[in-house]
Amino acid sequence: MAGAAGAEEIAVTGVGLVTPGGVGVGATWAAVCAGVGTAATDPALRGLPVNLSCRVPESPEGGGGGRLWRFDRGTRFLLTAAQEALESAKLEQGAWDPGRVAVVVGTAAGGVGTLEEQHRRLLASGPRAVSPMTMPAFLPNMAAGQLALELGVTGPSLQVSTACASGATALVTAVLLLRSGMCDIAVAGGADAMVTPLCAAAFAKMGALSRRDREPGSASRPFDRDRDGFVLGEGAGVLVLERRRYADARGARPFALLAGYGATGDAHHATAPHPRGAGLRAATAAALASAGAAPADVGHVNAHGTSTPLNDRVEAAAVRELYPHGPSVTSAKGVLGHTMGAAGGIEAALTVLSVARQLVPPTANFTAPDDSAAGLDVVHGAARAQPVRLAVSNSLGFGGHNTVLAFTAV
């Protein structure tokens, strides 16, 4: 696992999380290790075909100060997670060359909550009721723009969107910027706040959401034979990435190395994965090749694991065939729901923590596999202590996007 020839090592020196499990790495890690679903009936979705969600349980206050009202909910999550990531990396704002710091953020929907709210105001009260901050809060690039403003950094500032793979795609983009020499530090990950009436109604109309209204805590059940759809979630996951030489020079202690990555497109269907998981398999091969690793080296798979019948079936079959030695498999969506464009960032952060702490959280609500998951070593019931030298994190998205990240122990 020496890494691709000539490729500079990329260190993960900071981690920040805002999720339905709680605000901060400590709260989220405790929640996913407890393996108890956070889904609950959501008053904001009352009257819709599905009224379940996984909400961030408190309002994060990190970053933005008294200006938080100007930001979309997803941007607030991002600022808080980024602040924690920088603190854990022991990087103080201003203690860097601002032109050598990049910001890369993934999102599936931008400030869709802001857009919905302002549209309601327009219809109810006319144009004078619309906030002048609508566009700065809604536009899909503005989460990255606001984070760069808050940090005072002037390096590349980018926002990417590959649906539910967006957070992972942002991390790949950050690695490319680092290895190109355009920056020394990248603050990268995903953020989304799509628990809105329009998004919930649209996903319900597609038949994508769980209808387990009477037992919401068990609604999200990745790879379980009784799964019936995902639960909408929200949050942010941010990593601080640095070129290894830069991190070493300042005495940083990495959590892990982002050793490899792969990104592919299915070119198959707008919303359904390739039936053989061709894009996922190709992305996995690319991630392992860039990490200088073989499938047999993988000790843990953090699965996309949405709890939808089709996605789980395709992913389970691909994972089982890619890794016949049976590495441990988990999906955080049983606890956190599907956080959409944030999922790739959140799950990358959880994979990093599994590598750093040699501990794999359980898959909540997994009781028995269906035929497609038979033979997978799905961690369930309790967190599992195990050696993890190399772990991969899978992220898939509408449009046929597939991103796989490979993390190694330092």
Side-chain angles (χ1 to χ4, degrees):
M1 297 185 290
E8 185 165 15
E9 289 187 336
I10 303 300
V12 181
T13 57
V15 181
L17 288 167
V18 172
T19 75
V23 176
V25 166
T28 295
W29 185 251
V32 296
C33 285
V36 177
T38 61
T41 301
D42 189 335
L45 305 181
R46 184 179 293 114
L48 297 179
V50 175
N51 62 1
L52 304 179
S53 75
C54 292
R55 290 270 192 185
V56 171
E58 54 189 291
S59 297
E61 300 298 334
R67 302 185 304 283
L68 281 177
W69 67 270
R70 300 183 180 184
F71 304 139
D72 182 77
R73 184 172 171 85
T75 301
R76 296 178 193 177
F77 296 157
L78 174 70
L79 295 178
T80 301
Q83 182 181 63
E84 181 184 33
L86 289 166
E87 289 174 356
S88 71
K90 295 180 171 55
L91 279 168
E92 295 184 9
Q93 186 172 338
W96 52 39
D97 178 348
R100 300 292 298 167
V101 182
V103 167
V104 191
V105 179
T107 179
V112 66
T114 294
L115 184 64
E116 286 189 42
E117 171 60 25
Q118 296 305 316
H119 188 239
R120 284 192 290 269
R121 291 187 184 188
L122 175 65
L123 295 180
S125 304
R128 292 178 62 86
V130 175
S131 169
M133 298 304 297
T134 298
M135 299 314 288
F138 155 66
L139 290 173
N141 68 299
M142 287 306 296
Q146 297 287 15
L147 179 56
L149 281 167
E150 290 297 314
L151 299 181
V153 298
T154 56
S157 175
L158 306 173
Q159 195 127 343
V160 300
S161 185
T162 52
C164 301
S166 297
T169 302
L171 293 167
V172 172
T173 305
V175 172
L176 296 175
L177 292 173
L178 288 160
R179 286 183 171 165
S180 75
M182 293 181 69
C183 57
D184 299 312
I185 302 168
V187 183
D192 254 333
M194 289 179 64
V195 183
T196 70
L198 177 60
C199 291
F203 278 124
K205 189 72 171 182
M206 293 177 67
L209 300 182
S210 173
R211 302 291 180 117
R212 203 179 296 268
D213 292 354
R214 294 185 178 180
E215 43 185 2
S218 63
S220 182
R221 39 198 321 117
F223 302 114
D224 189 78
R225 66 186 176 194
D226 293 328
R227 67 190 184 279
D228 70 332
F230 69 81
V231 177
L232 266 176
E234 60 182 7
V238 175
L239 301 182
V240 174
L241 305 179
E242 302 182 50
R243 292 189 290 122
R244 180 70 183 274
R245 285 179 293 174
Y246 183 93
D248 288 346
R250 71 176 187 85
R253 298 182 61 182
F255 289 84
L257 301 179
L258 204 173
Y261 56 86
T264 65
D266 283 345
H268 167 70
H269 190 275
T271 59
H274 188 280
R276 284 277 299 153
L280 173 59
R281 292 167 190 264
T284 299
L288 295 179
S290 63
D297 297 321
V298 174
H300 171 55
V301 177
N302 189 299
H304 188 58
T306 59
S307 183
T308 56
L310 185 55
N311 177 90
D312 286 10
R313 183 166 66 248
V314 169
E315 186 178 16
V319 167
R320 187 176 58 247
E321 293 174 20
L322 285 165
Y323 309 110
H325 61 291
S328 62
V329 176
T330 195
S331 169
K333 292 183 177 72
V335 173
L336 306 178
H338 195 338
T339 55
M340 312 313 291
I346 291 170
E347 290 158 17
L350 295 175
T351 307
V352 165
L353 294 173
S354 284
V355 170
R357 301 179 180 184
Q358 303 287 282
L359 186 68
V360 175
T363 302
N365 302 316
F366 178 86
T367 56
D370 69 5
D371 291 343
S372 64
L376 288 187
D377 182 14
V378 178
V379 179
H380 62 285
R384 179 189 298 176
Q386 69 165 87
V388 183
R389 289 291 305 163
L390 170 63
V392 298
S393 181
N394 296 341
S395 295
L396 314 177
F398 280 2
H401 301 290
N402 308 279
T403 302
V404 177
L405 304 172
F407 295 96
T408 60
V410 179

